Amino acid sequence: MTYRKIAFLVSVIAIAVALVAMLPSADAAEGDTFKVSTSITGGTTDSIEILYHIVSDSEVEVFNSNGYDKDGNLSSSSSYTSCDGSLTIPSTVTNEGKTYTVIGIGYCAFWDTPMTSITLPDTLEYIGEQAFSDIHSLSSITIPASVTSIDYKAFSNANTGEDKLTTITFAEGSRLTTVGKNLFEGRTALENVEIPAGVTDLNIETNTVSYNISLKLGALNAWDDAADVVTFAEGSPFSKDEYGLLYDGTTLVANLNKVNDSYIET
């Protein structure tokens, strides 16, 4: 092969490489994850990497830091163990030049995280199952008005002796409609929680039947240690009497003071 032919081939290859480099990179797809460094104040470290899970072309949720295991199952524990200060979740994050809106806090996202404070964005639409379970150093949290659903055991605590969470506040104008079962299970330090008036679904299901009365337990299940702090905002379809009996309108739906072997004396 002559020198001229070799030089020509080299030129063609160089042009092809340049053209490929100019092609736009493929966008991350739904289901993919990526990390974004996020600042922490008042902790032992200045920042942590938060894992985000793409749920649509333009939206993400905060993901459990352990992601998926080798079998493709979502981990049920988080390893944001260095997040021991105040954390603010942004309303948007950018990955490879593309901006996504943060709409959710995913399954077990901050389970057992030693954070002392967290600020959630007003773009948030849902809080996933056990998202803030077993956090012992958090004393208060405000749920943005944009949140419409909160899943099973989102704020539960298995280690009641270490519980410091005294206040859960729903922002004014809350659009919350649905809350999962056992939402505040084990949170014995709570001083007051007012369920927004827009909540129409407490995920109530039949638990026991005694004296021909079906007693049903849902979002407030396992609140026997904190039933007194539950209140419902004006306009709510639910109400609670001095005995801890929960009503939907005039229909008895749960006995908040007796989780096991529930009954009513007749």
Side-chain angles (χ1 to χ4, degrees):
M1 184 178 292
T2 65
Y3 173 79
R4 183 173 296 178
K5 288 182 178 180
I6 293 174
F8 175 74
L9 288 173
V10 170
S11 298
V12 169
I13 293 171
I15 292 172
V17 170
L19 290 173
V20 169
M22 292 173 63
L23 292 174
S25 58
D27 289 335
E30 184 175 331
D32 289 348
T33 60
F34 60 87
K35 292 182 179 180
V36 175
S37 181
T38 306
S39 297
I40 297 176
T41 57
T44 56
T45 184
D46 294 331
S47 65
I48 61 169
E49 287 195 324
I50 298 292
L51 186 65
Y52 290 92
H53 176 225
I54 300 174
V55 296
S56 77
D57 181 60
S58 59
E59 298 168 323
V60 295
E61 65 178 1
V62 177
F63 213 38
N64 183 302
S65 61
N66 289 325
Y68 292 100
D69 64 20
K70 61 182 178 62
D71 297 318
N73 300 311
L74 187 59
S75 173
S76 60
S77 62
S78 182
S79 64
Y80 293 120
T81 53
S82 60
C83 183
D84 59 353
S86 298
L87 176 67
T88 297
I89 301 297
S91 58
T92 60
V93 289
T94 301
N95 179 56
E96 297 181 348
K98 184 169 182 176
T99 299
Y100 298 86
T101 301
V102 180
I103 65 165
I105 306 295
Y107 171 71
C108 284
F110 292 110
W111 180 84
D112 202 22
T113 298
M115 66 174 65
T116 57
S117 173
I118 186 167
T119 301
L120 302 175
D122 59 10
T123 55
L124 214 60
E125 297 177 6
Y126 62 88
I127 295 175
E129 179 179 332
Q130 294 183 278
F132 296 101
S133 286
D134 294 351
I135 298 179
H136 310 130
S137 51
L138 189 68
S139 62
S140 65
I141 186 170
T142 297
I143 311 303
S146 54
V147 173
T148 60
S149 66
I150 302 177
D151 212 337
Y152 172 71
K153 286 191 174 184
F155 301 103
S156 64
N157 179 33
N159 302 300
T160 55
E162 303 176 34
D163 189 18
K164 294 182 180 179
L165 186 61
T166 60
T167 306
I168 296 177
T169 303
F170 294 94
E172 184 177 356
S174 174
R175 297 196 288 274
L176 187 67
T177 61
T178 304
V179 290
K181 292 169 58 179
N182 298 67
L183 191 60
F184 309 120
E185 180 181 353
R187 288 296 181 182
T188 57
L190 281 173
E191 297 174 353
N192 178 60
V193 177
E194 184 178 74
I195 306 297
V199 173
T200 57
D201 186 359
L202 293 176
N203 269 286
I204 294 171
E205 60 185 29
T206 300
N207 185 66
T208 61
V209 178
S210 297
Y211 294 97
N212 297 318
I213 297 176
S214 297
L215 296 182
K216 303 175 182 181
L217 303 166
L220 308 183
N221 188 14
W223 259 55
D224 50 328
D225 291 324
D228 290 343
V229 307
V230 184
T231 59
F232 296 89
E234 183 178 355
S236 171
F238 300 101
S239 61
K240 184 190 65 160
D241 67 15
E242 67 269 31
Y243 303 108
L245 300 179
L246 178 68
Y247 294 84
D248 183 351
T250 59
T251 303
L252 175 65
V253 293
N255 181 352
L256 301 183
N257 288 313
K258 286 196 176 288
V259 176
N260 299 311
D261 299 324
S262 300
Y263 68 93
I264 297 176
E265 297 288 356
T266 58

